[in-house]
Amino acid sequence: MFFLQAQQVLTDTLSKSSKSEFFQQVDPYGLGMTVIGYVIVFIALLLLYIVFFNLTKLIQLKSKRALKKEGITDKDKQDISVSGEVNAAIEMAIHLYFQELHDEETAILTINRASKIYSPWSSKIYGLTRHPR
């Protein structure tokens, strides 16, 4: 209530040019404005963190309820780890299924793991320059 009255008094007594002068007198270096900006951004990030953290909990809760409706208990669940090759094969099968290419083409698709130790993109020598003489 006090802030609304103070704001009303300021708007009534000060013109637009004198408002900037008043703000410059109150906060000459802009530290107050900086702190307010940082606090607002920090609060927004904190709220986003809370929303996303609770969203994952909500999704897990719904999936647990769906599993209970199906009659699947914790004893039936197993920790399954799937390798990258299996994931790539599953994704390719899904892609081909949706594109309906798996019935028409007879191409054999192979996935080979290629490890390249040297790459010119990671070489530090190309980033160095000679010193002038």
Side-chain angles (χ1 to χ4, degrees):
M1 182 73 173
F2 172 74
F3 293 113
L4 294 175
Q5 290 176 351
Q7 183 182 7
Q8 185 66 30
V9 169
L10 283 175
T11 56
D12 290 342
T13 58
L14 300 173
S15 67
K16 289 186 179 183
S17 62
S18 61
K19 285 181 186 179
S20 64
E21 292 171 0
F22 175 75
F23 189 74
Q24 193 171 17
Q25 289 175 356
V26 172
D27 193 14
Y29 298 108
L31 294 176
M33 181 68 79
T34 303
V35 170
I36 290 171
Y38 279 120
V39 168
I40 289 173
V41 169
F42 181 73
I43 289 173
L45 289 173
L46 184 66
L47 289 174
L48 283 172
Y49 170 77
I50 291 170
V51 166
F52 287 130
F53 185 76
N54 289 328
L55 185 67
T56 57
K57 286 185 177 182
L58 180 69
I59 291 171
Q60 288 175 355
L61 182 66
K62 284 188 176 186
S63 65
K64 284 181 183 179
R65 286 183 183 172
L67 289 175
K68 283 184 181 179
K69 283 184 181 180
E70 296 292 326
I72 299 173
T73 62
D74 290 335
K75 294 178 184 177
D76 297 334
K77 289 189 261 181
Q78 296 177 358
D79 185 23
I80 299 173
S81 61
V82 181
S83 67
E85 290 86 6
V86 173
N87 283 334
I90 291 171
E91 196 280 326
M92 184 54 70
I94 291 172
H95 174 72
L96 292 177
Y97 174 76
F98 284 124
Q99 296 296 320
E100 296 180 355
L101 295 176
H102 61 287
D103 291 336
E104 299 171 6
E105 295 184 10
T106 59
I108 297 175
L109 195 68
T110 58
I111 301 172
N112 293 328
R113 182 177 298 213
S115 63
K116 294 182 179 179
I117 297 172
Y118 172 76
S119 172
W121 292 101
S122 65
S123 181
K124 304 282 187 285
I125 195 167
Y126 296 115
L128 301 175
T129 57
R130 291 186 180 183
H131 291 290
R133 292 182 189 173

